[in-house]
Amino acid sequence: MLESGFLKIYRSFLNWKWYADSATKDVFLHLILTANWDDREWREITIHRGQRVYSTQKLAGELHMSRQVIRTALKHLISTGEITNQSAPQYSIVTIKNYDYYQSLTSQSTNDQPTTNQPLTNDQPQMKKDKESNKDKKDKKDICADAFIAYADGDSELLKALNDYAEMRKQKKKALSTDRSIKMLLNKLDSLAADSQTKIAILNQSVFYNWTGVFPLKDDSKRQQEKAPEHTPTFDIDEYERESVYDTKGET
């Protein structure tokens, strides 16, 4: 069983639906801690990162719970989208959704880091450069991940909508890559909607139409136009990012 590395748990976990359900909480944390952190072959099939092979009997033995308690906990986690399950006659495979939010890529092992007992080689400067490059990529990824998790505050549907929107922008070569752009996005969502379901609908609308910005829902736009016939400014992150370059222009 993997014993190195670390687990990221945000304080918003306190507001998670199953936090007060000790059995479900224990099963979920156990699955995160025991899932693969990289792809591995098992019986001629690939068990991917964030997955693990299990049976209710094995989990019951690992957690000292009854199989019925394990089954109930798994049903809870499936119902709220924390995990998905693939069943086979002799085993099952559980997949932890959004695994990277809990188990960082840097938690794999520290054995590859140079120590005083390891000989220095000419390749180490390049190795250090590669690691720094990988760290920069991870830091950019975590800009969205950390902000979205904190904003969603345990709402898995809202978190998924935010991630889908960010992925759409990434595919359009306009990724959310700065704290400023993410903050503007979240502030604009708050100004457009007071509830999570409307925010989800707004994000899904932008994904559907491949919009890089977020805008009022189409029906809401019509109602707003009836109340206020004058032009209502919309929001496009790219436009604000361009303007931000000149924020200090003219300052002394």
Side-chain angles (χ1 to χ4, degrees), residues 1 30-31 34 42 52-67 70 90-92:
M1 184 178 297
H30 184 68
L31 291 175
T34 57
W42 179 79
R52 69 157 283 180
V53 177
Y54 80 96
S55 67
T56 55
Q57 181 176 358
K58 182 171 179 59
L59 285 179
E62 292 172 357
L63 291 167
H64 303 288
M65 297 177 178
S66 70
R67 294 179 69 182
I70 296 294
Q90 301 298 326
Y91 62 89
S92 296

Side-chain angles (χ1 to χ4, degrees), residues 56-106:
T56 55
Q57 181 176 358
K58 182 171 179 59
L59 285 179
E62 292 172 357
L63 291 167
H64 303 288
M65 297 177 178
S66 70
R67 294 179 69 182
Q68 183 56 50
V69 169
I70 296 294
R71 291 191 190 98
T72 300
L74 292 173
K75 287 180 181 178
H76 287 167
L77 296 172
I78 292 171
S79 70
T80 49
E82 274 75 27
I83 65 172
T84 58
N85 186 68
Q86 300 170 255
S87 295
Q90 301 298 326
Y91 62 89
S92 296
I93 298 175
V94 66
T95 301
I96 299 164
K97 299 180 69 176
N98 300 319
Y99 176 77
D100 286 342
Y101 297 152
Y102 306 103
Q103 195 74 39
S104 170
L105 285 168
T106 60

Side-chain angles (χ1 to χ4, degrees), residues 81-189:
E82 274 75 27
I83 65 172
T84 58
N85 186 68
Q86 300 170 255
S87 295
Q90 301 298 326
Y91 62 89
S92 296
I93 298 175
V94 66
T95 301
I96 299 164
K97 299 180 69 176
N98 300 319
Y99 176 77
D100 286 342
Y101 297 152
Y102 306 103
Q103 195 74 39
S104 170
L105 285 168
T106 60
S107 68
Q108 294 176 2
S109 176
T110 57
N111 292 335
D112 60 341
Q113 297 180 3
T115 68
T116 55
N117 295 326
Q118 292 176 322
L120 296 176
T121 69
N122 293 332
D123 294 333
Q124 287 193 357
Q126 182 62 41
M127 289 171 61
K128 182 178 179 181
K129 184 177 180 180
D130 292 343
K131 288 181 180 179
E132 290 174 349
S133 176
N134 290 335
K135 182 179 182 298
D136 290 341
K137 291 178 181 179
K138 177 186 177 296
D139 289 343
K140 289 180 180 179
K141 180 179 180 180
D142 283 349
I143 287 176
C144 282
D146 294 347
F148 287 173
I149 290 172
Y151 185 78
D153 197 22
D155 189 328
S156 58
E157 291 185 6
L158 178 57
L159 180 59
K160 182 178 185 304
L162 286 164
N163 288 331
D164 289 345
Y165 172 79
E167 180 62 26
M168 179 273 292
R169 283 188 60 101
K170 182 179 178 182
Q171 295 298 323
K172 290 176 67 68
K173 310 298 183 184
K174 296 182 178 180
L176 294 166
S177 57
T178 65
D179 290 326
R180 176 184 172 86
S181 62
I182 295 171
K183 184 177 180 180
M184 287 192 297
L185 166 65
L186 301 181
N187 287 343
K188 186 60 181 179
L189 278 177

Side-chain angles (χ1 to χ4, degrees), residues 15-31:
N15 301 318
W16 182 47
K17 179 180 177 67
W18 304 113
Y19 184 81
D21 186 322
S22 297
T24 302
K25 177 173 61 179
D26 289 349
V27 170
F28 185 47
L29 290 173
H30 184 68
L31 291 175

Side-chain angles (χ1 to χ4, degrees), residues 170-218:
K170 182 179 178 182
Q171 295 298 323
K172 290 176 67 68
K173 310 298 183 184
K174 296 182 178 180
L176 294 166
S177 57
T178 65
D179 290 326
R180 176 184 172 86
S181 62
I182 295 171
K183 184 177 180 180
M184 287 192 297
L185 166 65
L186 301 181
N187 287 343
K188 186 60 181 179
L189 278 177
D190 286 337
S191 71
L192 292 174
D195 61 281
S196 294
Q197 290 303 314
T198 305
K199 293 176 183 177
I200 292 169
I202 289 171
L203 290 164
N204 290 342
Q205 174 181 254
S206 291
V207 171
F208 181 80
Y209 289 106
N210 277 319
W211 293 339
T212 56
V214 290
F215 309 92
L217 295 175
K218 287 196 171 183

